[in-house]
Amino acid sequence: MYKIVLKETLATAVVKMMVHAPYVARKAKAGQFIILRVHENSERIPLTIADYNREEGLITIIYQVVGKATMDLNNLEEGDYIHDFVGPLGKPSEIENLKKAIVVGGGVGCAIAYPIVKALAEQNTEVYSVVGFRNKEMVILEDEFASHSDKRVLMSDDGSYGSKGFVTTGLEGLLEEHKDIDCVFAIGPIIMMKNIAAVTRKYGVKTVVSMNSIMIDGTGMCGGCRLTVGGETKFACVDGPEFDGHLVDFDEAQSRNNIFKNQPAHSFEEDKTCQLLKEVENGK
Amino acid sequence: MANKTQRTLMALKDSKERITNFEEVALGYTLEEAMAEANRCLECKNKPCVSGCPVAIDIPKFIHEIKAGNLEKAFEVLSEYTSLPAVCGRVCPQETQCEALCVRGLKGEPVAIGALERFVADSHNGILKTVPSETKGIKTAVIGSGPAGLSCAGTLARLGYDVTIFEALHETGGVLRYGIPEFRLPKAIVDREINALKKLGVKIEKNVVIGRSLDLKDLEDDGFKAIFIGTGAGLPRFMNIEGENLLGVYSANEFLTRINLMKAYEAKSDTPLYLGSNVAVVGGGNVAMDAARSAKRLGAAHVYLIYRRSEEEMPARREEVEHAKEEGIEFKFLCNPLEILGNENQYVSGIKCIDMALGDVDQNNRRRPHEVEGSEHIIAVDNVIMSIGTMANPLIKTLGIDINHQGLIETNEVGQTSNLSVYAGGDAVSGAATVINAMGKGKQCAYEIHNEFMSKREA
């Protein structure tokens, strides 16, 4: 059992938790994820490691309430326990030898993008960040991105905060300005990562995306998280979750993430509050 | 006993009733049946059956105790050799192991050794009165809680070592938990045998992935003097044909994990499972049988078992094939998938297959199947479950010990890896094999670890 030592709401339905998980904290690196199971009958869901504290054995996760599993998690409070919490899983981000990089985060994907920005900044890579949100209410980690980036561009779909528009616009601006970017990291909804990859392909800049497939074990045992990269089948949990954005079949990945969408408890609609949550909000 | 050439049959649940649930199919012997069957054993002096058992159980000795109705004694005999008798009595392919060498089998049916082992284990709570020998205070780590790890841990604990098992999943048992379904191996049995290990002092750390959460160096730093790796061969194979990433295509591992480990078939479970009414399972091993029979129990109207060779070549246990037939699984022998077809929403709509014919014998002494030209046909299905075997887990590569070209761990004849305080056994070394072979290796490695410490002590 894994104790929740802190719970904090960051934005509408976006919550940060710090969990005591010493085995995970001992080895965690940027780009890796955990799998948790809230209760005995809950499903296993993957969440990226947003931060860690090795000395105190703590792992920070940031999640958006999008379905039953995240809603059950959200019903736990500080001092409560998560039934199972395993990791770190997946390969760490490859960030060595980068002089200049751009990190793009969309919505709750910013929670995954932030540790990469931080790790890049710590190794003295010149790092620019582009973060995008639906509106002002959804903005998270604003100060964290600002303090670790050489420049931060904040976008909102409706223009209620920062610049109006999608992250692709902010990214294009930076790419026009800087012709010597070594790598772009893009993390967010699949459609966003697909669009980012289309932009960077034009500029010929290497692009790494973090894929959020449906997972069960997270250790390479089942292939539920498989996707096509450069024409080959890869397992996101052990071969990734980061892949070359110019080689990923995003349409297939999008379709595979929709397999359970008709089951009431399993809405994988990205960046949208699911029906279940709406019902809760409406007091049904 | 009037007829000593035939074995005592075990009662089975009726096939019509049993496909409506996941309860155990074979019901086990009563005391009378067990004693009658035990009496068929001739108690041969040279005990050929024992050499067919990978953990060399003294079979006539435990059967001798059943004849006298002395089940406690019979259990003690079994426990000297095996940590999981209730499991092995159920899932071992006895027909190719102990029972294949039984003298009774020369003129009739061999003694039902597996059924007797199961009977003894089931009549007992699994916990021995005897405590482990003096504790040595030597920390040993076992990685993986499948049959190899459980057997190694049990043996080490009995020899007096301080044992900790590290398991990646949230439940112990490996394939016994996520792979073999309830109707063949009730999970309560697995729990009981694992509880018996805990009673021996074995500690279990779940949710720890070796190669990610911990590496071998961490274990050495934490004071573990010997390490056994029994991580299995869990990475599923796919055919690399068109359509394999469509919605509704599962590896057998994913399908069975959702069912067995996550209990997706129970209303209280949150884990989803998408299953239509027509299901194709590709493969001919025990895992394929398990997947097909599970699909039937989940209400599929038609379950097709597609296998590229003929019934004779099927690697699955005879008993499981018979049970599958009784339950209405539709076998498509000499049939091989070419492509999986999908609808406009990317869901599976059918599987395109071709008929096969058996040709010349290959170097493995199996007749090689080849395609029959012009025999392509489509079977309408909603799901395809790929059950064509597994490979080494890629996390093994991160451990810094020697692996072979197949990604399996290299060991010497006593199970030692290129890191001399690290041993390995089971599917992680051999590739996918049987529960009892994994147990045999786990037990062997435990004795090797023990010998190593004993010789150090004397030196």
Side-chain angles (χ1 to χ4, degrees), chain B residues 357-368:
Chain B
L358 288 180
D360 298 334
V361 172
D362 64 14
Q363 68 269 33
N364 295 327
N365 226 4
R366 293 215 295 187
R367 290 177 67 194
R368 198 191 296 272

Side-chain angles (χ1 to χ4, degrees), chain B residues 19 24 53 59 86 111 198 232 236 242 245 378 386 410 416:
Chain B
I19 58 167
E24 191 171 24
C53 172
I59 293 163
V111 173
K198 287 188 194 158
E242 197 66 35
N245 290 347
I378 290 167
M386 286 294 172
E410 296 235 8
Q416 232 166 355

Side-chain angles (χ1 to χ4, degrees), chain B residues 306-346:
Chain B
I306 299 174
Y307 180 54
R308 67 193 184 118
R309 298 175 194 261
S310 67
E311 182 166 4
E312 224 172 282
E313 285 84 15
M314 275 189 125
R317 291 188 65 192
R318 282 293 351 132
E319 188 185 317
E320 304 311 325
V321 177
E322 288 314 314
H323 288 175
K325 283 183 176 170
E326 288 164 17
E327 290 167 12
I329 307 301
E330 297 160 55
F331 287 77
K332 304 266 183 195
F333 294 114
L334 292 165
C335 180
N336 203 32
L338 296 174
E339 184 186 347
I340 301 168
L341 311 166
N343 65 19
E344 66 285 0
N345 295 323
Q346 303 302 308

Side-chain angles (χ1 to χ4, degrees), chain A residues 185-198:
Chain A
F185 293 87
I187 298 129
I190 290 177
I191 183 69
M192 182 207 100
M193 294 192 286
K194 182 185 172 182
N195 292 337
I196 296 277

